[in-house]
Amino acid sequence: MEVDKIIRLRSNLCLWTAPPEYSGRGRRRIHGRKFKLLDESTWDEPAQTIELEDEKLGRLKIRLWYELHLRKSPLHPMSVILVERLKPDGSKRIAKPMWLAFIGKSMPSCTEIFQYYLRRFGVDHWYRFAKQRLHWTLPKLSTPEQSDRWSDLMPLITWQLWLARDIVKDNPLPWQKTAPKLTPGRVAQSIGAILAVIHTPAKPPKLRGKSPGWKPEQTRKRRINYPVVKKRTTTRTKKQPQPA
């Protein structure tokens, strides 16, 4: 996909630098030197080093390297960023450093790129809230258009819960403590009282009568049946020892 991507790398990964220029003999080299994230002796001089003070994280040290790649993808270079939290005296903290990789065309500055990555935690929590509390993936819809309309309701419902947080009264469950600031989940738990006052915009149901039935000139279409996707987990059977 032609989009800018920020990816977190595991700390024991081994990367490779760009290969040197062709010497004129033999096969061209694909990889350069090893760049082990755990071994600082294999690191090259960073292209950029910045130290800054963050309001929440404290003092940070950010280093940047260009043109690194994985062993199986030498044709896809990436920029690697190391974010370290420092003590007030400048020494490293016990917390593990955070390695990030940027793949794309327009790379943001080092002071912004790690903040973009930290925003993913709020996004991940929203996806979890939409699936578990708003039942995003619960309906079994028939067409992609129906799925799109149902998905469009999720952010609208979230904004309604967010705007109603100041007018609802907290209604905790017996095992929950009172919260000074209500989360969207707690607002959804207490918004029933507001809905009972403002009522629903839907029209009241009509009385049951004789249905006019299906029009004779109207053609019917059968519902499309899609193949069922089954996932099977293979269990390894232990070999029985053969008698001697």
Side-chain angles (χ1 to χ4, degrees):
M1 297 178 64
E2 295 184 0
V3 294
D4 295 341
K5 297 179 282 291
I6 302 175
I7 307 168
R8 185 167 185 176
L9 304 175
R10 67 175 191 266
S11 58
N12 61 345
L13 199 64
C14 181
L15 303 177
W16 300 81
T17 61
E21 295 183 0
Y22 183 53
S23 61
R25 288 187 177 183
R27 179 189 174 190
R28 293 179 180 271
R29 293 186 59 181
I30 301 177
H31 310 291
R33 298 180 306 278
K34 279 188 178 181
F35 190 97
K36 296 182 179 180
L37 303 188
L38 285 177
D39 189 1
E40 193 170 352
S41 62
T42 61
W43 302 353
D44 294 337
E45 191 68 23
Q48 191 175 359
T49 303
I50 298 176
E51 289 192 13
L52 55 91
E53 195 74 25
D54 188 77
E55 296 180 357
K56 296 182 179 180
L57 302 177
R59 193 175 180 184
L60 300 176
K61 183 178 181 180
I62 304 173
R63 285 181 274 185
L64 171 65
W65 291 269
Y66 294 113
E67 298 295 328
L68 296 175
H69 62 266
L70 298 170
R71 183 175 181 84
K72 293 185 178 181
S73 57
L75 301 179
H76 298 85
M78 55 187 175
S79 302
V80 177
I81 303 97
L82 172 61
V83 182
E84 295 176 301
R85 297 180 65 180
L86 304 178
K87 293 181 180 179
D89 58 356
S91 59
K92 296 181 181 179
R93 283 193 175 185
I94 302 177
K96 291 183 178 180
M98 181 172 64
W99 289 91
L100 301 175
F102 177 82
I103 303 173
K105 295 182 179 180
S106 57
M107 178 178 173
S109 63
C110 291
T111 57
E112 297 175 347
I113 191 168
F114 82 95
Q115 296 177 356
Y116 292 155
Y117 178 78
L118 294 179
R119 292 180 184 177
R120 65 175 286 272
F121 294 102
V123 176
D124 289 346
H125 285 300
W126 181 83
Y127 278 112
R128 177 174 173 268
F129 173 73
K131 291 179 180 179
Q132 295 184 359
R133 190 64 179 83
L134 303 182
H135 308 299
W136 184 14
T137 56
L138 183 62
K140 306 300 181 183
L141 304 175
S142 303
T143 62
E145 292 77 14
Q146 293 175 353
S147 301
D148 290 340
R149 286 194 293 268
W150 177 249
S151 298
D152 292 340
L153 291 176
M154 296 299 109
L156 298 178
I157 297 173
T158 306
W159 276 113
Q160 288 183 355
L161 295 175
W162 180 259
L163 296 174
R165 69 189 186 279
D166 295 330
I167 60 176
V168 299
K169 184 179 180 181
D170 189 19
N171 186 21
L173 296 174
W175 57 85
Q176 291 178 336
K177 297 181 180 179
T178 57
K181 293 183 179 180
L182 299 182
T183 61
R186 294 290 285 267
V187 176
Q189 191 173 293
S190 309
I191 204 171
I194 297 178
L195 298 179
V197 174
I198 63 177
H199 300 290
T200 175
K203 296 181 180 180
K206 295 181 180 180
L207 297 176
R208 182 180 178 184
K210 186 176 289 187
S211 175
W214 198 270
K215 296 180 181 180
E217 65 275 6
Q218 189 174 359
T219 58
R220 299 191 182 189
K221 293 182 180 180
R222 289 184 175 272
R223 183 175 176 178
I224 302 175
N225 293 327
Y226 296 96
V228 179
V229 178
K230 296 182 179 180
K231 296 182 180 180
R232 297 181 179 178
T233 56
T234 57
T235 57
R236 296 182 179 179
T237 57
K238 294 183 178 180
K239 294 183 179 180
Q240 298 293 335
Q242 297 180 357

